[in-house]
Amino acid sequence: VETIGEGAFENCDQLTTLIIGNGVETIENYAFQECSQLITLIIGNGVETIGAAAFRYCSNVTSMDLGNVQIIGDSAFYDCGQLTRVDIPNSVETIGPYAFYGTALTNVVIPNSVETIWNSAFENCNQLTNVTIGDNVKTIEFSAFKMCVSLASVDLGNVQIIGEAAFKGCGLTSVDLGNVQTIGEQAFRNCGQLTRVDIPNSVETIG
């Protein structure tokens, strides 16, 4: 099997363990959506693409290894509310909109293979305390980390564009803006604990 088709196992609410073999290359949209009892998830090293909402609402998955995945689709792990750990490999090129929205991740490392963190990718991850952003990330899209209320600090590295409301409502106390050029509207709105921010000479626009 090379492809697990769209909605193939959607709403299999008694499924507790899923091991995806190395021969599988694509997990299509909604393939395992609402498998609410799924706890153990092992993704084989052959998987390159995880489709939109493939594991959305898999509310009992706690951790996973993404193998050699290249594309994490829109809402792939949306509202997986028990997901506390995921290792994003250097193979990943795309983290789609809402990919990890509402998860319980505590630590996120964005690898150097990623250039854009798409909108709302980590929005409402209220257990997230630490984010490491890879050197090649240039754009953080709108609402990417919105309402990550436990996120106290972030080093933006080589990021050039911070989108609208990207860190709105976060628990940030300090921010190093690195080489940012554009700060979008409401980027840090309602960051009530933010006491220090260094605005570098590279900044051209503050929304």
Side-chain angles (χ1 to χ4, degrees):
V1 174
E2 294 182 354
T3 300
I4 300 175
E6 183 169 320
F9 296 92
E10 184 175 0
N11 202 29
C12 290
D13 58 8
Q14 300 303 308
L15 181 65
T16 59
T17 301
L18 175 62
I19 300 172
I20 297 175
N22 291 333
V24 175
E25 297 177 357
T26 303
I27 302 171
E28 292 193 343
N29 302 348
Y30 317 112
F32 296 95
Q33 181 176 241
E34 289 192 274
C35 292
S36 58
Q37 299 304 311
L38 182 63
I39 298 172
T40 302
L41 172 59
I42 300 173
I43 296 176
N45 290 330
V47 175
E48 297 177 351
T49 301
I50 299 176
F55 295 94
R56 182 166 59 179
Y57 305 135
C58 291
S59 54
N60 278 296
V61 172
T62 58
S63 65
M64 72 185 72
D65 183 343
L66 291 176
N68 295 311
V69 165
Q70 296 175 16
I71 298 171
I72 302 172
D74 301 9
S75 302
F77 299 98
Y78 184 102
D79 216 11
C80 293
Q82 300 300 314
L83 182 60
T84 59
R85 185 189 66 80
V86 62
D87 297 321
I88 302 174
N90 290 325
S91 57
V92 169
E93 299 172 358
T94 300
I95 300 174
Y98 297 93
F100 293 98
Y101 179 101
T103 61
L105 294 174
T106 58
N107 180 63
V108 168
V109 178
I110 307 295
N112 292 336
S113 52
V114 174
E115 294 186 359
T116 299
I117 301 172
W118 286 99
N119 56 285
S120 300
F122 297 94
E123 182 177 349
N124 204 31
C125 293
N126 56 27
Q127 303 301 312
L128 185 61
T129 59
N130 185 62
V131 174
T132 303
I133 295 176
D135 291 339
N136 292 324
V137 175
K138 297 296 187 289
T139 303
I140 299 175
E141 288 283 1
F142 65 89
S143 301
F145 294 96
K146 181 180 178 181
M147 296 305 296
C148 292
V149 295
S150 298
L151 184 61
S153 65
V154 61
D155 183 345
L156 295 173
N158 296 318
V159 171
Q160 296 176 359
I161 299 171
I162 300 174
E164 180 179 344
F167 293 95
K168 182 178 180 180
C170 288
L172 294 169
T173 58
S174 64
V175 176
D176 182 348
L177 290 176
N179 297 309
V180 164
Q181 297 175 10
T182 301
I183 302 171
E185 294 182 12
Q186 303 184 34
F188 298 97
R189 182 174 180 177
N190 292 341
C191 292
Q193 304 301 312
L194 185 60
T195 58
R196 185 185 67 82
V197 59
D198 298 321
I199 301 176
N201 292 330
S202 57
V203 171
E204 300 172 358
T205 303
I206 299 176

